[in-house]
Structures are given as structure tokens and as C-alpha cells.
Amino acid sequence: MAPAPSIPKAAFWMALSIASFLGMSVAGRETTAELNVFQVLELRSVIGFFILLPLVMTNGGFAAMRTGRPFAHLARNVIHYTGQAAWLYALTLIPLAVLISIEFTTPIWTAVFAVGFLGERLSRPRLAAIVIGLIGVIIIVRPGVSSVNPGQLIVLGAAVCFGTSVVMVKSLTRTESVVRIIFWMLIIQSVLGLLPALYEWRSPPLALWPWIVVIAFTGMSSHFCMARALAYADATLISPMDFLRVPLSALVGWLLYHEQIDVFTAGGAALILAGNLLNLQRKTSQVAEAEAATP
């Protein structure tokens, strides 16, 4: 049975998800500086599986991980793996804050795909949020004015994949437990990435292993917490909450990597934020009205 909608509980799990994603960003930057992207993803999935095992055992064991929706899990994880590989590769090409800002078109794609796959309505406020967000991306990338960094386009493609994935996770939470969703994510992505990882495999230096463990743990915990949040609120409400990662990532990039933010990135990020907040305000009002009407 799906839990009752709750904005406070959704916000709590999203706070944990944001912290995990920030940790994964730093660990991803450190590991991809020395290892192939596919090797990092493979290590993340395999180690993450063993980290998840205690939760599997306390939630009914392997028997409880059986699913009646194998193709939904497979489709979701093919899309998500593609987005994650693109995201990690873009992380090696552009500053952290630029990457996260463009990644935050994810709620735009989430809103678009939620209309088609979840039956949510594309209202005028939601359409306005999408248009404002897209204008923000154009300001950051500035096609035709400055040379477009391939990393910007790569992370934009990753955002499309992530938006699709969020909608598919929301659909899965209607019938699947969070632990089962993460279990199949780690299994399927371990299989998907094995051959690409082995193609350029190299033994990780000893000093890199703490970062590998961090990316494995946060790669699992970020999606566990995200899935828990999605169990308490709509996909179009959850994704905008994640926008706090933009200023926090800019701060991390400045503190750790001395990255600077130009006025175009700041302005474009602000527009994306405005679009997301417009969407968030509308969804919060709807949930509050629904809760008030509940006897």
C-alpha cells in the first residue's frame, strides 16, 4: 500500500538525497580523474549492492525482491544508466555548478513526461515553468554567441534521461518497494556496465578507494532517498526541491576546485529556479487543498 502524501516527509528524504548527490559529485570528480567512467559506474553498482544487502535481508530477503514488472525495471535502468554515464563524463569537462545548473532542466523533462506516462495535466503554470526553464538553459549555453562546450550538451542529454527515469520511478513506487527498486537498479546496471568497464579496466590506486566507497554509497543512498521522497509526493513536486544543489554545488566547486561562476550561469540558473519554484508553488497548493479536504 502506498503511503499517504506528506510534504514534510518528502522534504526530509529529499534533504538526505541532496546530501548524497553532493557527495557523489565530489567523489565522481575525484574518481573519474583517474578511472574510466564505465569502470567507476561498475564499481559503484557492485559495491553498492553489498551495501544494500542488509536492507534486503531486513525487508524479506531475496524472495521479497521478486518483481512482476521486470521490463519496467529494465527500461528505467537502461535510461538511467545512459544518463549517469553522460553525467559523469560531463563532470570531467565543465565546472560543477554549470553541470548542476543544466542538470536542473530535469524537472522540465519530468513535467513533460509525467503528462504522457502518469496522466498528470499540463496546465498553463506548468507550461510557463517549462518555458522559463528552457530560456535559462539557453542563457547558460548561449548557442551562436560563444562556443558551446560539448559537456553542456552531454549533461543536457543526461537531464532528459533523468527526467524520464524520475517519472518511471514514480510509476514503480505504486507497486514496488523502495528497496526492491534500488535492488534491481544495482543488479541491472552492474550487468549493463560490465563489458564497457572491462574494456579499459585498470587497478585503482589505494588512495582512490575511499572515494570509490563514497560514490558507491551515495550512488545507492541518493536514489534510495529519492525513491522514498517520491513515495510521499508527486514527481513534479519532488524534482524542484532538489534545486538547492545548485548553490550548494557552486559553493563546493569554489571551495574545493576554485571554480568561478559567471553572470550568464548565475542568471540562467536563477531563471531555471524561478520556473521550478512556479511549479513547486502550484503543486504545494494542490496538495494542501487535498489534505484539507480529507476527512
Side-chain angles (χ1 to χ4, degrees):
M1 182 181 296
S6 171
I7 292 177
K9 290 180 179 179
F12 169 76
W13 285 107
M14 276 306 301
L16 295 181
S17 179
I18 290 168
S20 295
F21 276 118
L22 288 173
M24 187 169 63
S25 297
V26 176
R29 174 69 62 85
E30 298 297 326
T31 52
T32 54
E34 298 193 45
L35 301 178
N36 178 273
V37 166
F38 295 109
Q39 183 177 349
V40 172
L41 286 175
E42 186 67 16
L43 288 168
R44 188 201 71 164
S45 295
V46 172
I47 297 173
F49 175 79
F50 289 102
I51 294 174
L52 185 70
L53 273 182
L55 275 177
V56 172
M57 295 299 107
T58 57
N59 283 269
F62 291 112
M65 297 300 107
R66 293 175 182 171
T67 178
R69 302 176 66 185
F71 294 109
H73 283 283
L74 178 62
R76 181 255 164 172
N77 282 291
V78 167
I79 292 170
H80 181 262
Y81 182 86
T82 302
Q84 193 67 67
W87 186 88
L88 273 176
Y89 181 56
L91 191 60
T92 68
L93 300 175
I94 57 178
L96 189 58
V98 175
L99 178 137
I100 299 299
S101 296
I102 297 176
E103 181 197 341
F104 269 90
T105 58
T106 295
I108 294 173
W109 312 117
T110 298
V112 170
F113 296 130
V115 172
F117 293 104
L118 299 180
E120 296 183 13
R121 191 168 61 90
L122 185 60
S123 62
R124 288 182 179 178
R126 185 177 294 178
L127 183 60
I130 291 171
V131 172
I132 291 171
L134 287 175
I135 292 173
V137 174
I138 293 172
I139 290 174
I140 293 174
V141 177
R142 303 193 301 283
V145 177
S146 62
S147 58
V148 177
N149 189 312
Q152 296 173 333
L153 300 180
I154 291 170
V155 76
L156 184 60
V160 174
C161 291
F162 292 153
T164 308
S165 177
V166 169
V167 171
M168 298 177 81
V169 169
K170 178 60 180 179
S171 174
L172 284 168
T173 59
R174 294 172 175 174
T175 59
E176 309 284 88
S177 71
V178 172
V179 174
R180 188 185 299 162
I181 291 171
I182 303 303
F183 175 85
W184 285 109
M185 180 188 82
L186 296 173
I187 291 291
I188 293 171
Q189 294 194 17
S190 293
V191 174
L192 286 175
L194 181 59
L195 289 180
L198 291 176
Y199 184 73
E200 293 187 17
W201 188 275
R202 62 180 292 254
S203 180
L206 184 62
L208 201 60
W209 276 104
W211 289 116
I212 293 172
V213 173
V214 169
I215 199 171
F217 178 79
T218 55
M220 183 273 294
S221 64
S222 59
H223 294 286
F224 177 86
C225 295
M226 173 72 80
R228 290 292 296 167
L230 286 166
Y232 287 108
D234 281 350
T236 45
L237 173 62
I238 288 303
S239 291
M241 290 182 183
D242 202 22
F243 200 88
L244 279 173
R245 275 199 290 145
V246 174
L248 291 175
S249 295
L251 179 61
V252 168
W254 178 71
L255 289 174
L256 298 183
Y257 306 112
H258 307 291
E259 296 176 351
Q260 303 298 320
I261 303 301
D262 62 31
V263 66
F264 295 103
T265 299
L271 275 178
I272 297 172
L273 172 59
N276 284 329
L277 288 178
L278 177 63
N279 193 32
L280 176 60
Q281 184 179 22
R282 172 183 171 275
K283 293 301 295 182
T284 302
S285 175
Q286 285 185 340
V287 173
E289 289 174 3
E291 289 178 346
T294 302

